[in-house]
Amino acid sequence: MNSDLEIIRHTTAHILANAVQNLYPQAKIAIGPIINDGFYYDFFIPEVNLSPQDFEKIEAEMKKIIEKRYKIIAKEISDPDKQIKDFLVSGEKFKAELLEKYKDQNPTLFAFIDENGKEIWSDLCKGPHLRNTGEVKAFKLLSVSGAYWHGDEKAESLQRIYGTAWKNKTELAEYLQKLEEAEKRDHRKLSKQHELFSIHEEAGPGLIHWHPKLAFLRNRVENFWKDLHEDNGYQLVYSPHIARAKLWDISGHSQFYSENMFKLAPIDEQEYVLKPMNCPFHILIFNSTLHSYRELPIRIAEMGTVYRFERSGVLHGLPRVRGFTQDDAHVFCTETQLVSEVCSIIDLINIIYSKFDLTYSVELSTRPEERIGDNSIWDMAETALKAALENKNIAYEINEGDGAFYGPKIDFKLKDAIGRQWQGATIQVDFNLPERFDLTYRDSDGSEKRPVMLHRAIFGSLERFTALLIEHYAAAFPFWLCETQIMILPIADRHNEYCEKLYTELKSKKIKCKIDSRGEKINAKIRDAQISQTPYMLIVGDKEMGENKIAVRERRKGDLGTMTLDEFLVEIKEQDL
């Protein structure tokens, strides 16, 4: 923790904990870390269910603590065992457990001290903090939810209060405005308004049903992706949704990923598993024939649906689900081809993200302490990833030690229209699976060599990427992604025949259009088309029909005037169909 904001938020979390215990003496405190743009604190409060209606009085109590300007001092815990006993006597069993875990790491208490030198409140923490509570200038409590101690559903049920804190009231106001905009863009709320997707208890949680509008968008995105990959030397494949458990033993998933895998009832006395990953299938396809160095690189890609067990408490609309489709690709190449292959992937990433008006930042995650492969292999892989990023003039940050145990990776963090960050593409070097599956190719000297394997996804999961698109565009999707691109609006029934001719002509141009022939007034039809975010409305009345023209309205620019259909087609010729 280094930044001023992190220290402000960390201190504010302690002020929250102090305030809650002042208001609810039976409350016991668990943990209160900082998170992106804020903090939270977990509480165990018997016979009390907190709600946002309680925030006003909690914030008022926090302001009292801030106004007191309590000095914040660190106190070394010289006798951890005694302190553990004191925690237990006062009922602070969560702090006792934490201190037991960290008692050999020079633990400290941070205390609030009043003007007379009296200790008002303290918390087990390693710091750092502000000098006094009065240095907190701007904060807001945001929400409350349930949580479990250690995230274990069998452990105690806690109440988690989320909040944010900033350097001043101006920054806080700007952030709250951003939150308000984010609330308007929430993909779950917009989905209900625009009938995009649904989740049904009868089918099960975390399983998405794509409605026509969103299914159309997905189909367009997938076709764009497939065409681009075929043009760039990828071979598109399909793989099964289940496989024998033995395959996941070989890949290592049974050992390291078992809790996230859906196991099926035995089939022909063999255990089967719903696939959590596509990688082993692509490896089997690669391994089904002998390969020469002349064939490399071999690029295998698939829109592959996978299934992973997520706890019901973390399921969240489209981004956190139990069944999702990855734009998975695996590249098998030589060491000398590694830099150029990563550069080619970056080129694809740039093409794809620019199509959706998305920008990104980049992190390079390097070797963790626990890893496979000797240092020379890691040196080669990390150097190659750095060289590719520098070759493409991409600025990046080093995420030290955060690579997987089987290889380093590049992560692309996407920014949406209001500046929020989303997980984007990943490029991962893998030393593990080529060894486990004994992958080889015949080199120029006739010897067998181990190929380098790259895992690569650009959307990540279509579900999460689609959630990003919904919120990025606020459901006002680009023309090429709209199931209804043009709504034809007859003012009266006598204009329907002319509208049918317009419809037929537009359909012949592969334009997605509909006629709103309801008996509603024209203003109601325009309003409904606007609400549904239809890019263009073509309005037809007596004047337009008499002149063989249309009145054109665009969802953002409003009235574009009267023109012929041919003139309108010129107007939209730059739009992707």
Side-chain angles (χ1 to χ4, degrees), residues 563-575:
M563 61 187 78
T564 66
L565 183 60
D566 287 342
E567 288 171 336
F568 172 67
L569 291 173
V570 171
E571 173 78 21
I572 66 169
K573 69 178 181 179
E574 300 300 325
Q575 303 277 10

Side-chain angles (χ1 to χ4, degrees), residues 65-306:
I65 295 168
I66 291 169
E67 289 168 359
K68 293 287 186 181
R69 298 184 64 83
Y70 292 136
K71 187 178 180 181
I72 303 174
I73 65 168
K75 298 168 58 181
E76 291 186 8
I77 300 177
S78 57
D79 188 345
D81 290 328
K82 180 180 181 302
Q83 183 63 61
I84 289 170
K85 290 180 181 177
D86 290 344
F87 278 146
L88 291 173
V89 168
S90 61
E92 296 287 1
K93 60 180 180 178
F94 306 109
K95 292 299 178 185
E97 183 180 328
L98 289 171
L99 181 53
E100 181 66 42
K101 181 178 179 180
Y102 296 109
K103 66 180 183 180
D104 296 327
Q105 299 181 27
N106 301 316
T108 53
L109 290 171
F110 273 80
F112 293 172
I113 307 297
D114 71 10
E115 58 186 1
N116 298 317
K118 179 183 177 182
E119 180 177 314
I120 301 301
W121 182 86
S122 67
D123 195 359
L124 176 67
C125 186
K126 65 179 181 180
H129 300 87
L130 298 172
R131 292 169 298 182
N132 65 74
T133 59
E135 293 182 355
V136 173
K137 303 298 182 184
F139 73 92
K140 183 71 177 174
L141 301 184
L142 301 174
S143 63
V144 60
S145 68
Y148 293 104
W149 179 233
H150 296 314
D152 183 354
E153 294 176 358
K154 297 178 182 177
E156 291 87 345
S157 180
L158 307 174
Q159 298 182 70
R160 176 171 296 176
I161 297 177
Y162 289 92
T164 189
W166 295 84
K167 293 179 181 179
N168 53 60
K169 291 181 179 179
T170 300
E171 289 185 0
L172 174 62
E174 290 173 352
Y175 176 72
L176 294 177
Q177 186 176 8
K178 181 179 172 181
L179 279 188
E180 186 178 342
E181 180 62 28
E183 177 67 21
K184 293 176 185 175
R185 291 171 178 259
D186 187 306
H187 73 282
R188 295 165 299 177
K189 180 181 291 186
L190 289 172
S191 175
K192 290 180 180 178
Q193 293 174 11
H194 297 278
E195 297 182 37
L196 301 177
F197 73 91
S198 58
I199 300 169
H200 299 273
E201 188 61 34
E202 300 93 324
L207 301 173
I208 303 300
H209 296 70
W210 299 69
H211 292 209
K213 287 182 182 178
L214 204 61
F216 177 87
L217 179 147
R218 171 175 172 161
N219 188 51
R220 282 294 177 96
V221 169
E222 286 191 7
N223 288 340
F224 164 66
W225 182 92
K226 289 174 182 176
D227 290 344
L228 189 61
H229 281 70
E230 287 181 337
D231 291 344
N232 283 271
Y234 283 80
Q235 302 171 74
L236 303 186
V237 301
Y238 294 98
S239 61
H241 287 244
I242 65 172
R244 285 178 174 173
K246 180 181 178 181
L247 179 67
W248 310 104
D249 294 340
I250 298 171
S251 69
H253 289 93
S254 297
Q255 180 180 358
F256 299 108
Y257 208 71
S258 179
E259 291 184 359
N260 297 92
M261 293 163 63
F262 286 105
K263 299 174 178 63
L264 302 177
I267 304 171
D268 296 333
E269 299 182 355
Q270 293 281 338
E271 289 187 10
Y272 280 76
V273 173
L274 274 174
K275 67 172 176 179
M277 310 276 184
N278 298 302
C279 329
F281 296 98
H282 294 185
I283 289 171
L284 293 179
I285 291 171
F286 174 86
N287 233 7
S288 63
T289 56
L290 298 175
H291 297 288
S292 160
Y293 72 98
R294 297 179 187 276
E295 300 172 66
L296 302 185
I298 290 175
R299 308 178 186 102
I300 296 174
E302 175 183 15
M303 282 287 181
T305 300
V306 298

